[in-house]
Amino acid sequence: MELTGIESTVALVTGAAQGIGAAVAATLAGAGAHVAAVDRNADRLTTTVAKLEAEGGTARGYTVDVRDSAAVDALVRRVEDELGPIGILVNAAGVLHTGRVVELPDRQWDETFSVNAGGVFNVSRAVARRMIDRRRGAVVTVASNAAGVPRVEMAAYAASKAASAQFTRCLGLELSGYGIRCNVVSPGSTDTPMLRSMLGEEGDPRQVVEGSPAAYRVGIPLRKLARPRDVAEAVAYLVSDQAGHVTMHDLYVDGGAALH
Ligand code: NAD
């Protein structure tokens, strides 16, 4: 099935320098979108945007920290001045701090919420204000299956992802009268730098695939990690015309790990 409604549309993707965000940027650029690739990591963003362009995509990089709401408002203005009206927003920027609640420092809790929930609010609000005027647009927030399944050492992350998922579904309700759809993609363990740094140098992805009773993980029923592309393809579907009647949905892309 060929996806339509993406070609020549301006797509703002946060967290686009690496991992899932970079795969989303590549998938949307491959479908003909004009990608505004946003990340706080300027060096990696430059490399990623150069790669997208070398592959024939149209992309421009913007270095912004999504926690800074004034900078986000200025970014959205600049993207629309330079590339045109934003028709697609994908919130993929995120951070992961793991640790038991009794040992979690304030700054890790704060950063987790200010990026994973606050960043989604800042960017979605700035873009939604413009989409409303045009009465069209599609938003996807990349949350996590951790939002729906309690896990040891994931309390801050899981709670922040539950916040971003429910925020996005509420936004979908508010914007539905304008024909704007807002959906969530909840990945399970996906082979990206975030997952590799959680596992550490000694870590073996098989622990995640096979499960760990100590961490209350059942493992991944499909017996493999997701690739960033698996998640990006679900995002592309949700922003396309083919998902024209889908909104406020939470699509789990986790090989069955959440058992729902
Ligand atoms: P990653 O760490 O590989 O990439 C995240 C990107 O977000 C980085 O380029 C980083 O610089 C950027 N970023 C972080 N904070 C930012 C900020 N304040 N402003 C702007 N950019 C910022 O992570 P990933 O694995 O590709 O994850 C992408 C998204 O998917 C995240 O929201 C993550 O929580 C979610 N997710 C990942 C997994 C997984 O197993 N990898 C599973 C479920 C959900």
Side-chain angles (χ1 to χ4, degrees):
M1 177 174 66
E2 196 186 326
L3 298 179
T4 58
I6 297 174
E7 191 170 9
S8 302
T9 303
V10 176
L12 191 156
V13 181
T14 72
Q18 68 180 32
I20 291 170
V24 169
T27 301
L28 297 182
H34 299 170
V35 174
V38 176
D39 206 284
R40 66 177 168 187
N41 186 328
D43 291 344
R44 203 168 297 128
L45 187 61
T46 305
T47 312
T48 303
V49 168
K51 189 161 169 266
L52 287 176
E53 286 177 326
E55 288 163 357
T58 306
R60 191 173 289 196
Y62 297 87
T63 308
V64 171
D65 189 321
V66 296
R67 290 175 295 182
D68 181 342
S69 74
V72 165
D73 289 346
L75 159 82
V76 168
R77 221 172 14 250
R78 201 177 136 209
V79 168
E80 294 217 332
D81 287 348
E82 293 178 2
L83 304 182
I86 298 166
I88 294 170
L89 165 63
V90 181
N91 292 302
V95 292
L96 169 67
H97 293 293
T98 52
R100 289 183 178 263
V101 171
V102 290
E103 284 155 12
L104 199 69
D106 290 355
R107 70 183 154 70
Q108 290 194 358
W109 174 269
D110 291 345
E111 195 202 6
T112 303
F113 267 78
S114 60
V115 178
N116 296 359
V120 171
F121 166 69
N122 289 337
V123 184
S124 301
R125 180 180 61 179
V127 171
R129 283 174 172 153
R130 287 161 183 266
M131 284 180 169
I132 282 173
D133 292 340
R134 299 188 285 264
R135 304 183 83 83
R136 60 176 296 143
V139 175
V140 170
T141 294
V142 180
S144 169
N145 70 352
V149 184
R151 291 213 174 111
V152 170
E153 299 189 0
M154 293 280 233
Y157 179 75
S160 72
K161 289 297 184 177
S164 75
Q166 195 65 340
F167 165 81
T168 302
R169 297 176 69 236
C170 291
L171 182 67
L173 184 58
E174 286 189 17
L175 300 187
S176 54
Y178 301 95
I180 300 165
R181 299 180 299 102
C182 303
N183 289 290
V184 179
V185 167
S186 289
S189 298
T190 307
D191 199 356
T192 69
M194 178 185 278
L195 183 83
R196 294 281 165 180
S197 71
M198 182 186 84
L199 292 172
E201 276 178 22
E202 316 265 282
D204 180 349
R206 272 178 309 187
Q207 296 163 345
V208 176
V209 173
E210 284 161 19
S212 148
Y216 297 92
R217 292 185 81 125
V218 294
I220 302 174
L222 287 182
R223 311 319 290 168
K224 58 186 179 186
L225 294 178
R227 301 163 302 172
R229 220 180 72 199
D230 296 322
V231 181
E233 280 165 2
V235 172
Y237 163 68
L238 285 171
V239 301
S240 75
D241 290 342
Q242 281 62 37
H245 208 51
V246 181
T247 191
M248 294 173 259
H249 188 68
D250 189 344
L251 177 56
Y252 275 57
V253 182
D254 71 346
L259 303 182
H260 69 67

